[in-house]
Amino acid sequence: MSSHPNSFWRWSKRLPQVAPEHRLDLGAGCTPLVRSRRIGPAEGLSNLFFKIETANPTASYKDRFATVAMSHMLAEGQSRCVTTSSGNAGAAIAAHCAAAGITCEVALIVTAPSGKVSQMLVYGAELYRVADFGRDPDITRETFEQLKRRGEAPDAAMQITAYCYSPVGMEGVKTISYELAEQMQTPAEHVFTPVCGGGLALAVARGFADLVEDGALTPGPKIECVQPEGNNTVAGPLREGMDQATAIDRCTSEISGLQCPSLLDGDALVAATQRTGGTGHLVSDEAVYAMQSRLAREEGIFSEPAGAVAAAGAVAARRSGLIRADARVVCLVTGSGFKDPPSVDRMLSGADVPTVTLDALTTEGPPS
C-alpha cells in the first residue's frame, strides 16, 4: 500500500475496513478535474468542468471499485473472482486480480469492443461471451443469477459493479465525490453522470450524501443521470416524476458500456437522485458520437462514447434551459477512447495520412 498523501487509501476511514497488508493500490483515484476551454464557452456554460476518470490505471473509473473489491477478497482469503462486463469493469478487475494473484473469470456482454477484450486478455483473465447478454433482459437476468451461483463457492466471490450485487466494492466509487469536494474551489451545483445499471451515479450521490451528513459540504450537488435513448430505464422515469426505474424489453443503443435493460440499482438511484433535486436526461447515440469527437477536437480529451454521454447530457440540458449559464457543472468522463477502436474508426471515417517525399515536402510543403 502506498503511504503517499494522495493514495486512494487516504479515504480508508470512509471505506470498508481492510487491513493495510491486504490493500491493493495500483494508483486509482486522484484523477484531474479540468475546466472546459471551448465546449463550455461555445454552449453558454461558463463553469463547465470535466472529471477525467480515464487517468485511472486501466483508464476507467472502475479501478476505484476493483481496488476495494479485490483488497477485500485478499483479506477474505478468496482466490477466484467471477464477474461480467462490457469491458471496463472486466479490465479493472482483471488487472487487480493479476496484482493480487486471484483467478479472474469474465462473462462478456456480446457487444464488448475489441480494445476492452484485448485489455482483459493481457491481464490474464479467462473470457467468454454470452449470446444476447446485455440486450435481452431475461437472458441478462439469468446470466447474473448463474454467475452469482458460481461466485458462492467458498474460495470465490462474484464482483459486479452494482450495489445490488457487490456493495463492498461499490463503496470505492464514492471516492469520486470526495475528490470533487476537494477539487472544486466553489462546490459543484450539478454533477452529470452516465447511467447503465445505475451503480456509478448512485455511488456518487451517496458519496456526496456522506459529506453533507458529516457537515463537510452544504448542500450537495444535484445528480443528473444521462442515458442513451435506447436504454431508457432511469432517465425517462426521473423526468416524468416516477418513483421507480422501468425495465425495457430490449436495449437498442449501440453505446458500449451503457447497454443494460435490467434495473439493477435503478430504483435506488431514482430515489437518491430525487433527494438531490436532480433529474434524468436522454441523448441520442448520434449526439454521443458527436460529443466524443468534440471532446477530442475541442478539449483534447480522448473518451470512449460512454465517457462522452455526461457531457452530451449537460449540453442538451443547457440548450433546453434546464441549467443556468453560470451553473457550476461537472461531467464525468468515465473511460478512454483507446478502449473502443470501432468508435475511433467511426470518428476518423474518411481521414487519410498521405506519404510525401522529402523533395515534395521541401518544395511544396505538407499536403493540405
Side-chain angles (χ1 to χ4, degrees):
M1 182 200 74
S2 171
S3 59
H4 192 279
N6 285 334
S7 165
F8 179 89
W9 290 102
R10 75 189 187 281
W11 305 113
S12 60
K13 291 183 179 179
R14 293 188 179 276
L15 296 172
Q17 293 304 296
V18 176
E21 63 268 24
H22 297 306
R23 293 176 185 172
L24 293 170
D25 192 349
L26 300 186
C30 302
T31 57
L33 179 71
V34 299
R35 179 186 286 272
S36 171
R37 294 179 61 87
R38 295 182 62 192
I39 294 176
E43 296 293 341
L45 285 168
S46 58
N47 294 298
L48 176 64
F49 296 83
F50 303 109
K51 179 69 165 163
I52 312 298
E53 287 296 288
T54 61
N56 280 297
T58 71
S60 87
Y61 83 91
K62 299 289 180 78
D63 287 310
R64 298 175 185 269
F65 170 92
T67 297
V68 174
M70 298 306 108
S71 297
H72 189 261
M73 285 188 67
L74 272 180
E76 294 295 310
Q78 295 165 323
S79 59
R80 184 166 58 89
C81 176
V82 179
T83 188
T84 175
S85 181
S86 62
N88 284 338
I93 290 170
H96 287 76
C97 280
I102 294 173
T103 300
C104 182
E105 170 191 330
V106 186
L108 290 174
I109 288 176
V110 70
T111 56
S114 59
K116 297 179 182 181
V117 173
S118 296
Q119 190 179 15
M120 286 180 268
L121 288 170
V122 164
Y123 294 130
E126 301 169 0
L127 311 182
Y128 52 90
R129 297 183 189 270
V130 180
D132 279 334
F133 180 40
R135 290 191 179 277
D136 184 287
D138 293 331
I139 289 175
T140 300
R141 182 172 53 254
E142 289 302 317
T143 300
F144 279 129
E145 290 306 311
Q146 175 63 27
L147 294 176
K148 184 177 180 181
R149 289 190 288 271
R150 291 182 61 77
E152 289 173 349
D155 67 335
M158 182 182 73
Q159 300 291 354
I160 293 175
T161 51
Y163 273 100
C164 61
Y165 289 112
S166 303
V168 171
M170 287 303 299
E171 290 293 282
V173 182
K174 291 160 62 174
T175 57
I176 293 174
S177 305
Y178 306 155
E179 289 178 20
L180 283 173
E182 283 186 337
Q183 292 171 315
M184 294 288 290
Q185 292 183 345
T186 305
E189 296 174 85
H190 304 266
V191 175
F192 282 77
T193 174
V195 172
C196 182
L200 167 60
L202 181 58
V204 171
R206 289 180 174 179
F208 281 117
D210 289 348
L211 297 173
V212 171
E213 183 178 350
D214 293 347
L217 187 67
T218 304
K222 296 178 180 180
I223 303 303
E224 309 288 354
C225 299
V226 190
Q227 285 188 298
E229 293 171 346
N231 200 79
N232 180 18
T233 58
V234 169
L238 277 168
R239 288 295 288 272
E240 293 170 13
M242 299 170 62
D243 60 4
Q244 289 184 316
T246 303
I248 58 177
D249 292 334
R250 192 174 184 87
C251 172
T252 59
S253 173
E254 296 299 322
I255 305 303
S256 172
L258 299 181
Q259 298 165 317
C260 182
S262 303
L263 297 184
L264 298 184
D265 292 327
D267 288 344
L269 175 58
V270 167
T273 299
Q274 290 172 336
R275 284 194 293 271
T276 72
T279 187
H281 308 266
L282 290 169
V283 293
S284 68
D285 284 9
E286 288 303 317
V288 173
Y289 290 127
M291 182 55 67
Q292 179 192 21
S293 180
R294 291 190 70 184
L295 284 171
R297 295 176 178 176
E298 297 178 42
E299 301 285 355
I301 297 172
F302 191 31
S303 169
E304 66 175 326
V309 164
V315 165
R318 175 59 199 146
R319 290 177 179 178
S320 300
L322 297 176
I323 53 177
R324 302 190 324 274
D326 64 346
R328 296 179 297 279
V329 176
V330 175
C331 297
L332 304 186
V333 181
T334 50
S336 169
F338 287 113
K339 289 172 170 281
D340 196 337
S343 76
V344 177
D345 292 342
R346 178 191 181 103
M347 189 173 9
L348 299 179
S349 177
D352 183 36
V353 181
T355 299
V356 299
T357 66
L358 179 57
D359 287 343
L361 182 63
T362 302
T363 59
E364 302 173 19
S368 58

PDB file of all heavy atoms in Angstrom, residues 121-143:
ATOM      1  N   LEU A 121      -7.614  -9.719 -21.748  1.00  0.00           N
ATOM      2  CA  LEU A 121      -6.768 -10.870 -22.066  1.00  0.00           C
ATOM      3  C   LEU A 121      -5.320 -10.617 -21.664  1.00  0.00           C
ATOM      4  O   LEU A 121      -4.639 -11.521 -21.155  1.00  0.00           O
ATOM      5  CB  LEU A 121      -6.851 -11.175 -23.560  1.00  0.00           C
ATOM      6  CG  LEU A 121      -8.161 -11.781 -24.057  1.00  0.00           C
ATOM      7  CD1 LEU A 121      -8.194 -11.813 -25.581  1.00  0.00           C
ATOM      8  CD2 LEU A 121      -8.367 -13.191 -23.490  1.00  0.00           C
ATOM      9  N   VAL A 122      -4.843  -9.412 -21.859  1.00  0.00           N
ATOM     10  CA  VAL A 122      -3.473  -9.079 -21.484  1.00  0.00           C
ATOM     11  C   VAL A 122      -3.240  -9.313 -19.992  1.00  0.00           C
ATOM     12  O   VAL A 122      -2.172  -9.776 -19.584  1.00  0.00           O
ATOM     13  CB  VAL A 122      -3.157  -7.610 -21.865  1.00  0.00           C
ATOM     14  CG1 VAL A 122      -1.901  -7.118 -21.159  1.00  0.00           C
ATOM     15  CG2 VAL A 122      -2.992  -7.482 -23.367  1.00  0.00           C
ATOM     16  N   TYR A 123      -4.239  -9.027 -19.184  1.00  0.00           N
ATOM     17  CA  TYR A 123      -4.104  -9.210 -17.743  1.00  0.00           C
ATOM     18  C   TYR A 123      -4.292 -10.671 -17.305  1.00  0.00           C
ATOM     19  O   TYR A 123      -4.194 -10.976 -16.115  1.00  0.00           O
ATOM     20  CB  TYR A 123      -5.115  -8.333 -16.990  1.00  0.00           C
ATOM     21  CG  TYR A 123      -4.873  -6.854 -17.136  1.00  0.00           C
ATOM     22  CD1 TYR A 123      -5.918  -5.997 -17.498  1.00  0.00           C
ATOM     23  CD2 TYR A 123      -3.627  -6.287 -16.907  1.00  0.00           C
ATOM     24  CE1 TYR A 123      -5.724  -4.632 -17.631  1.00  0.00           C
ATOM     25  CE2 TYR A 123      -3.420  -4.921 -17.033  1.00  0.00           C
ATOM     26  CZ  TYR A 123      -4.472  -4.107 -17.392  1.00  0.00           C
ATOM     27  OH  TYR A 123      -4.276  -2.752 -17.519  1.00  0.00           O
ATOM     28  N   GLY A 124      -4.577 -11.557 -18.259  1.00  0.00           N
ATOM     29  CA  GLY A 124      -4.666 -12.978 -17.940  1.00  0.00           C
ATOM     30  C   GLY A 124      -6.044 -13.468 -17.564  1.00  0.00           C
ATOM     31  O   GLY A 124      -6.184 -14.580 -17.036  1.00  0.00           O
ATOM     32  N   ALA A 125      -7.079 -12.689 -17.842  1.00  0.00           N
ATOM     33  CA  ALA A 125      -8.439 -13.109 -17.492  1.00  0.00           C
ATOM     34  C   ALA A 125      -8.921 -14.223 -18.415  1.00  0.00           C
ATOM     35  O   ALA A 125      -8.490 -14.336 -19.567  1.00  0.00           O
ATOM     36  CB  ALA A 125      -9.391 -11.917 -17.577  1.00  0.00           C
ATOM     37  N   GLU A 126      -9.823 -15.049 -17.901  1.00  0.00           N
ATOM     38  CA  GLU A 126     -10.478 -16.102 -18.683  1.00  0.00           C
ATOM     39  C   GLU A 126     -11.817 -15.544 -19.166  1.00  0.00           C
ATOM     40  O   GLU A 126     -12.682 -15.214 -18.361  1.00  0.00           O
ATOM     41  CB  GLU A 126     -10.688 -17.343 -17.818  1.00  0.00           C
ATOM     42  CG  GLU A 126      -9.388 -17.910 -17.248  1.00  0.00           C
ATOM     43  CD  GLU A 126      -9.617 -18.976 -16.196  1.00  0.00           C
ATOM     44  OE1 GLU A 126     -10.810 -19.292 -15.897  1.00  0.00           O
ATOM     45  OE2 GLU A 126      -8.624 -19.484 -15.646  1.00  0.00           O
ATOM     46  N   LEU A 127     -11.997 -15.448 -20.490  1.00  0.00           N
ATOM     47  CA  LEU A 127     -13.154 -14.754 -21.061  1.00  0.00           C
ATOM     48  C   LEU A 127     -14.053 -15.680 -21.856  1.00  0.00           C
ATOM     49  O   LEU A 127     -13.591 -16.637 -22.467  1.00  0.00           O
ATOM     50  CB  LEU A 127     -12.693 -13.630 -21.996  1.00  0.00           C
ATOM     51  CG  LEU A 127     -11.629 -12.648 -21.514  1.00  0.00           C
ATOM     52  CD1 LEU A 127     -11.367 -11.599 -22.593  1.00  0.00           C
ATOM     53  CD2 LEU A 127     -12.057 -11.985 -20.223  1.00  0.00           C
ATOM     54  N   TYR A 128     -15.359 -15.345 -21.876  1.00  0.00           N
ATOM     55  CA  TYR A 128     -16.312 -15.960 -22.794  1.00  0.00           C
ATOM     56  C   TYR A 128     -17.479 -15.000 -22.974  1.00  0.00           C
ATOM     57  O   TYR A 128     -17.805 -14.214 -22.089  1.00  0.00           O
ATOM     58  CB  TYR A 128     -16.811 -17.323 -22.284  1.00  0.00           C
ATOM     59  CG  TYR A 128     -17.356 -17.315 -20.870  1.00  0.00           C
ATOM     60  CD1 TYR A 128     -18.709 -17.069 -20.615  1.00  0.00           C
ATOM     61  CD2 TYR A 128     -16.521 -17.558 -19.777  1.00  0.00           C
ATOM     62  CE1 TYR A 128     -19.208 -17.055 -19.328  1.00  0.00           C
ATOM     63  CE2 TYR A 128     -17.009 -17.552 -18.487  1.00  0.00           C
ATOM     64  CZ  TYR A 128     -18.344 -17.305 -18.260  1.00  0.00           C
ATOM     65  OH  TYR A 128     -18.837 -17.287 -16.977  1.00  0.00           O
ATOM     66  N   ARG A 129     -18.077 -15.031 -24.167  1.00  0.00           N
ATOM     67  CA  ARG A 129     -19.243 -14.194 -24.459  1.00  0.00           C
ATOM     68  C   ARG A 129     -20.527 -14.977 -24.228  1.00  0.00           C
ATOM     69  O   ARG A 129     -20.550 -16.189 -24.427  1.00  0.00           O
ATOM     70  CB  ARG A 129     -19.209 -13.697 -25.907  1.00  0.00           C
ATOM     71  CG  ARG A 129     -18.033 -12.792 -26.251  1.00  0.00           C
ATOM     72  CD  ARG A 129     -18.141 -12.315 -27.687  1.00  0.00           C
ATOM     73  NE  ARG A 129     -16.951 -11.624 -28.140  1.00  0.00           N
ATOM     74  CZ  ARG A 129     -16.748 -10.308 -28.021  1.00  0.00           C
ATOM     75  NH1 ARG A 129     -17.679  -9.563 -27.476  1.00  0.00           N
ATOM     76  NH2 ARG A 129     -15.636  -9.757 -28.472  1.00  0.00           N
ATOM     77  N   VAL A 130     -21.572 -14.278 -23.835  1.00  0.00           N
ATOM     78  CA  VAL A 130     -22.895 -14.882 -23.647  1.00  0.00           C
ATOM     79  C   VAL A 130     -23.841 -14.237 -24.660  1.00  0.00           C
ATOM     80  O   VAL A 130     -24.044 -13.014 -24.635  1.00  0.00           O
ATOM     81  CB  VAL A 130     -23.415 -14.680 -22.213  1.00  0.00           C
ATOM     82  CG1 VAL A 130     -24.796 -15.320 -22.055  1.00  0.00           C
ATOM     83  CG2 VAL A 130     -22.437 -15.262 -21.192  1.00  0.00           C
ATOM     84  N   ALA A 131     -24.417 -15.036 -25.546  1.00  0.00           N
ATOM     85  CA  ALA A 131     -25.291 -14.515 -26.604  1.00  0.00           C
ATOM     86  C   ALA A 131     -26.457 -13.726 -26.021  1.00  0.00           C
ATOM     87  O   ALA A 131     -27.119 -14.170 -25.075  1.00  0.00           O
ATOM     88  CB  ALA A 131     -25.820 -15.675 -27.457  1.00  0.00           C
ATOM     89  N   ASP A 132     -26.688 -12.518 -26.554  1.00  0.00           N
ATOM     90  CA  ASP A 132     -27.780 -11.609 -26.176  1.00  0.00           C
ATOM     91  C   ASP A 132     -27.651 -11.048 -24.760  1.00  0.00           C
ATOM     92  O   ASP A 132     -28.548 -10.338 -24.291  1.00  0.00           O
ATOM     93  CB  ASP A 132     -29.143 -12.274 -26.339  1.00  0.00           C
ATOM     94  CG  ASP A 132     -29.625 -12.250 -27.778  1.00  0.00           C
ATOM     95  OD1 ASP A 132     -29.202 -11.345 -28.522  1.00  0.00           O
ATOM     96  OD2 ASP A 132     -30.402 -13.137 -28.159  1.00  0.00           O
ATOM     97  N   PHE A 133     -26.563 -11.343 -24.081  1.00  0.00           N
ATOM     98  CA  PHE A 133     -26.329 -10.774 -22.757  1.00  0.00           C
ATOM     99  C   PHE A 133     -26.078  -9.276 -22.903  1.00  0.00           C
ATOM    100  O   PHE A 133     -25.262  -8.838 -23.691  1.00  0.00           O
ATOM    101  CB  PHE A 133     -25.126 -11.459 -22.107  1.00  0.00           C
ATOM    102  CG  PHE A 133     -24.783 -10.946 -20.736  1.00  0.00           C
ATOM    103  CD1 PHE A 133     -25.767 -10.642 -19.819  1.00  0.00           C
ATOM    104  CD2 PHE A 133     -23.459 -10.794 -20.354  1.00  0.00           C
ATOM    105  CE1 PHE A 133     -25.453 -10.194 -18.550  1.00  0.00           C
ATOM    106  CE2 PHE A 133     -23.129 -10.351 -19.100  1.00  0.00           C
ATOM    107  CZ  PHE A 133     -24.122 -10.048 -18.193  1.00  0.00           C
ATOM    108  N   GLY A 134     -26.846  -8.462 -22.163  1.00  0.00           N
ATOM    109  CA  GLY A 134     -26.753  -7.018 -22.252  1.00  0.00           C
ATOM    110  C   GLY A 134     -27.786  -6.400 -23.165  1.00  0.00           C
ATOM    111  O   GLY A 134     -27.955  -5.175 -23.162  1.00  0.00           O
ATOM    112  N   ARG A 135     -28.470  -7.225 -23.938  1.00  0.00           N
ATOM    113  CA  ARG A 135     -29.542  -6.716 -24.814  1.00  0.00           C
ATOM    114  C   ARG A 135     -30.905  -7.240 -24.395  1.00  0.00           C
ATOM    115  O   ARG A 135     -31.873  -6.503 -24.323  1.00  0.00           O
ATOM    116  CB  ARG A 135     -29.253  -7.095 -26.261  1.00  0.00           C
ATOM    117  CG  ARG A 135     -28.075  -6.348 -26.882  1.00  0.00           C
ATOM    118  CD  ARG A 135     -28.033  -6.591 -28.374  1.00  0.00           C
ATOM    119  NE  ARG A 135     -26.954  -5.891 -29.043  1.00  0.00           N
ATOM    120  CZ  ARG A 135     -26.997  -4.621 -29.436  1.00  0.00           C
ATOM    121  NH1 ARG A 135     -28.077  -3.920 -29.204  1.00  0.00           N
ATOM    122  NH2 ARG A 135     -25.971  -4.064 -30.054  1.00  0.00           N
ATOM    123  N   ASP A 136     -30.991  -8.557 -24.126  1.00  0.00           N
ATOM    124  CA  ASP A 136     -32.239  -9.192 -23.727  1.00  0.00           C
ATOM    125  C   ASP A 136     -32.324  -9.228 -22.200  1.00  0.00           C
ATOM    126  O   ASP A 136     -31.449  -9.790 -21.540  1.00  0.00           O
ATOM    127  CB  ASP A 136     -32.294 -10.610 -24.296  1.00  0.00           C
ATOM    128  CG  ASP A 136     -33.613 -11.294 -23.988  1.00  0.00           C
ATOM    129  OD1 ASP A 136     -33.823 -11.667 -22.812  1.00  0.00           O
ATOM    130  OD2 ASP A 136     -34.413 -11.471 -24.911  1.00  0.00           O
ATOM    131  N   PRO A 137     -33.364  -8.633 -21.602  1.00  0.00           N
ATOM    132  CA  PRO A 137     -33.426  -8.557 -20.139  1.00  0.00           C
ATOM    133  C   PRO A 137     -33.523  -9.913 -19.457  1.00  0.00           C
ATOM    134  O   PRO A 137     -32.962 -10.102 -18.365  1.00  0.00           O
ATOM    135  CB  PRO A 137     -34.671  -7.700 -19.870  1.00  0.00           C
ATOM    136  CG  PRO A 137     -35.481  -7.772 -21.126  1.00  0.00           C
ATOM    137  CD  PRO A 137     -34.499  -7.931 -22.240  1.00  0.00           C
ATOM    138  N   ASP A 138     -34.234 -10.879 -20.055  1.00  0.00           N
ATOM    139  CA  ASP A 138     -34.349 -12.193 -19.429  1.00  0.00           C
ATOM    140  C   ASP A 138     -33.008 -12.920 -19.420  1.00  0.00           C
ATOM    141  O   ASP A 138     -32.603 -13.504 -18.404  1.00  0.00           O
ATOM    142  CB  ASP A 138     -35.406 -13.036 -20.162  1.00  0.00           C
ATOM    143  CG  ASP A 138     -36.812 -12.477 -19.985  1.00  0.00           C
ATOM    144  OD1 ASP A 138     -37.067 -11.855 -18.937  1.00  0.00           O
ATOM    145  OD2 ASP A 138     -37.641 -12.653 -20.889  1.00  0.00           O
ATOM    146  N   ILE A 139     -32.317 -12.890 -20.551  1.00  0.00           N
ATOM    147  CA  ILE A 139     -31.004 -13.529 -20.621  1.00  0.00           C
ATOM    148  C   ILE A 139     -30.023 -12.815 -19.692  1.00  0.00           C
ATOM    149  O   ILE A 139     -29.216 -13.454 -19.005  1.00  0.00           O
ATOM    150  CB  ILE A 139     -30.490 -13.537 -22.073  1.00  0.00           C
ATOM    151  CG1 ILE A 139     -31.321 -14.523 -22.901  1.00  0.00           C
ATOM    152  CG2 ILE A 139     -29.003 -13.896 -22.130  1.00  0.00           C
ATOM    153  CD1 ILE A 139     -30.984 -14.529 -24.373  1.00  0.00           C
ATOM    154  N   THR A 140     -30.101 -11.504 -19.653  1.00  0.00           N
ATOM    155  CA  THR A 140     -29.216 -10.740 -18.770  1.00  0.00           C
ATOM    156  C   THR A 140     -29.444 -11.115 -17.323  1.00  0.00           C
ATOM    157  O   THR A 140     -28.497 -11.373 -16.563  1.00  0.00           O
ATOM    158  CB  THR A 140     -29.444  -9.228 -18.979  1.00  0.00           C
ATOM    159  OG1 THR A 140     -29.158  -8.902 -20.342  1.00  0.00           O
ATOM    160  CG2 THR A 140     -28.547  -8.412 -18.068  1.00  0.00           C
ATOM    161  N   ARG A 141     -30.703 -11.189 -16.916  1.00  0.00           N
ATOM    162  CA  ARG A 141     -31.021 -11.533 -15.531  1.00  0.00           C
ATOM    163  C   ARG A 141     -30.572 -12.946 -15.188  1.00  0.00           C
ATOM    164  O   ARG A 141     -29.964 -13.190 -14.132  1.00  0.00           O
ATOM    165  CB  ARG A 141     -32.534 -11.393 -15.312  1.00  0.00           C
ATOM    166  CG  ARG A 141     -32.988 -11.690 -13.889  1.00  0.00           C
ATOM    167  CD  ARG A 141     -34.459 -11.352 -13.693  1.00  0.00           C
ATOM    168  NE  ARG A 141     -35.305 -11.983 -14.690  1.00  0.00           N
ATOM    169  CZ  ARG A 141     -35.881 -11.328 -15.701  1.00  0.00           C
ATOM    170  NH1 ARG A 141     -35.679 -10.036 -15.854  1.00  0.00           N
ATOM    171  NH2 ARG A 141     -36.648 -11.969 -16.569  1.00  0.00           N
ATOM    172  N   GLU A 142     -30.820 -13.903 -16.085  1.00  0.00           N
ATOM    173  CA  GLU A 142     -30.423 -15.286 -15.818  1.00  0.00           C
ATOM    174  C   GLU A 142     -28.905 -15.448 -15.799  1.00  0.00           C
ATOM    175  O   GLU A 142     -28.366 -16.256 -15.043  1.00  0.00           O
ATOM    176  CB  GLU A 142     -31.050 -16.214 -16.862  1.00  0.00           C
ATOM    177  CG  GLU A 142     -32.549 -16.392 -16.707  1.00  0.00           C
ATOM    178  CD  GLU A 142     -32.922 -16.934 -15.330  1.00  0.00           C
ATOM    179  OE1 GLU A 142     -32.240 -17.868 -14.844  1.00  0.00           O
ATOM    180  OE2 GLU A 142     -33.876 -16.401 -14.727  1.00  0.00           O
ATOM    181  N   THR A 143     -28.219 -14.668 -16.625  1.00  0.00           N
ATOM    182  CA  THR A 143     -26.750 -14.723 -16.612  1.00  0.00           C
ATOM    183  C   THR A 143     -26.217 -14.244 -15.274  1.00  0.00           C
ATOM    184  O   THR A 143     -25.305 -14.864 -14.690  1.00  0.00           O
ATOM    185  CB  THR A 143     -26.172 -13.866 -17.752  1.00  0.00           C
ATOM    186  OG1 THR A 143     -26.643 -14.364 -19.005  1.00  0.00           O
ATOM    187  CG2 THR A 143     -24.648 -13.909 -17.741  1.00  0.00           C
TER     188      THR A 143
END
